[in-house]
Amino acid sequence: MSYKTIATVFRSEHIDSDHLQVAIDITDKMDGHLDVLALGTDRIQPGAYYAGAAAIAIKNAMDDAVEEARKAEEAAERILEPSGVRFEITRAVAQIGGIPQIVGRRLGLSDLVVLPKPYGEDRNSEDVAILAPALFVTRVPVLVVPPNVKTFKSPSEIVIAWNQSDEAMQAIRSAMPLLMAADKVDIVIIDPPDHDPDRSDPGGLLAALLSRHGVRAEISILARTMPRVSDVLLRHVRDKSADLVVMGAYGHSRFLEEILGGATRNMLAEAQVPVIMAH
């Protein structure tokens, strides 16, 4: 069981080289194929121009986006050629509003999508516009890479955020190739409800399922001692020195800046290790 088609988006050598290298490492380890979307963005806001200038501004913005996509393609090819992995680069141009359609079409036919963390230095709304459809449109698992991670090694200790949701179960199934290779897997349950049918053995059924795949899993029951569930989870990840987090992704709004739900957004903003998310 492995990821045979890995996909990512590349916009600039300055900001995207690290997560592209992570995608290359995974592709190499899995003997897979890497699909790269070299994306240029048309950032024009037509309403900001008077009528006579609008046509010129639109043409200039599109020309800039085409050039941006061309440079992204060339930079990605320079990085990929020496790697020895099988790859294909597709060049595309879109306004922010059109990114979901392109991302859904190009990344949807893959086993794993690798993207950078969308918050932090050099990141902006375009990163959210790429990540949101990758999670909620393609339904492909997404490996979100923080800026301090520049290579990918098979994780030895993985934390699973388990709340019995469909999204969490989808993330676990999606991460099975990595879970099976890990030395230790920690199923984390925060404040399990008293009325739960499995309250006598929280996480036991999941641990049994994983064990049948050869996964060495243990269960950690944590109290919600901090205001946000994500803070409790992040502290546990640090305490365990975990290499990877597996969790479900949740969205609650159509507005771009709020499309990622609270726990999802907090993890994406603050996690210092890669996170596999699925919806």
Side-chain angles (χ1 to χ4, degrees), residues 118-183:
Y119 305 110
E121 187 177 357
D122 294 326
R123 296 298 168 186
N124 54 40
S125 59
E126 292 173 31
D127 293 285
V128 178
I130 292 168
L131 178 63
L135 283 171
F136 303 121
V137 176
T138 69
R139 299 301 178 94
V140 174
V142 179
L143 177 69
V144 183
V145 182
N148 59 306
V149 176
K150 303 180 186 299
T151 59
F152 186 84
K153 298 179 181 179
S154 295
S156 61
E157 181 149 352
I158 299 175
V159 165
I160 295 174
W162 178 235
N163 62 359
Q164 301 192 39
S165 67
D166 293 340
E167 293 83 357
M169 193 66 240
Q170 178 63 24
I172 292 165
R173 291 193 179 101
S174 301
M176 196 63 76
L178 300 175
L179 295 170
M180 292 170 64
D183 295 329

